[in-house]
Amino acid sequence: MNRTAASLLALLLLASCGRESGRPAPEVPAHELAVGQVWNYHTRDVDQGSTLTICKLEDLPKAGSVVHVSLAGLHLKNPRAPGGYTGEVPHAPFTRAAIERSITTLHGQGSPPQGFEAGYRAWQEARGGVFSMPVADVAGLIEKSLK
């Protein structure tokens, strides 16, 4: 496993630390989510124009409704990547509420990137957590883990 993939896996394992607190989540509009949808979302300034693709939807006993996404069009500083930046995260698991709070407009249809299945399997085998924070915040955490 290369260092970038190992960093992402480590971050996903720590995702369970970001589980919801005892406070109720603010009301957000419910979207009709489906595998293959490509969404615009509230991004970091540096990632404007990036999108998320819904790759898998599942309900898990402890985590509830989980939305597995891939992120494209990112601008993550990564000293080990060619050109010094990483533009894609093939797999990231989120609570449905986190996705609902993050997405803005439906951009189109797509399919999971090549690395999605491997990332999903690694997450399953590691019994990784699920992000409950906005997608933009997770992009920032991923960038910090790559340094």
Side-chain angles (χ1 to χ4, degrees):
M1 178 181 305
N2 68 36
R3 294 174 84 186
T4 300
S7 294
L8 291 174
L9 180 58
L11 185 63
L12 292 174
L13 292 174
L14 293 174
S16 60
C17 297
R19 293 196 192 275
E20 298 288 337
S21 67
R23 297 179 306 224
E27 287 297 315
V28 293
H31 297 89
E32 297 269 343
L33 300 181
V35 171
Q37 291 175 332
V38 179
W39 288 87
N40 296 312
Y41 66 96
H42 298 290
T43 65
R44 305 180 306 157
D45 288 342
V46 70
D47 295 326
Q48 286 184 9
S50 70
T51 57
L52 67 81
T53 300
I54 297 176
C55 300
K56 185 172 185 64
L57 298 167
E58 65 182 335
D59 288 314
L60 299 176
K62 292 183 181 177
S65 183
V66 178
V67 182
H68 298 270
V69 303
S70 64
L71 304 172
L74 296 167
H75 200 248
L76 304 173
K77 290 180 187 172
N78 181 354
R80 294 178 295 279
Y85 291 92
T86 295
E88 179 181 277
V89 174
H91 173 255
F94 287 88
T95 62
R96 182 180 179 111
I99 292 296
E100 292 279 1
R101 288 190 303 269
S102 296
I103 58 178
T104 57
T105 56
L106 185 61
H107 183 78
Q109 289 292 121
S111 55
Q114 188 174 19
F116 172 77
E117 285 299 327
Y120 177 75
R121 280 192 308 275
W123 173 81
Q124 280 185 309
E125 290 168 7
R127 298 177 193 237
V130 177
F131 293 110
S132 60
M133 61 186 68
V135 174
D137 292 351
V138 171
L141 287 175
I142 292 170
E143 183 174 67
K144 285 180 185 174
S145 77
L146 295 173
K147 291 182 179 180

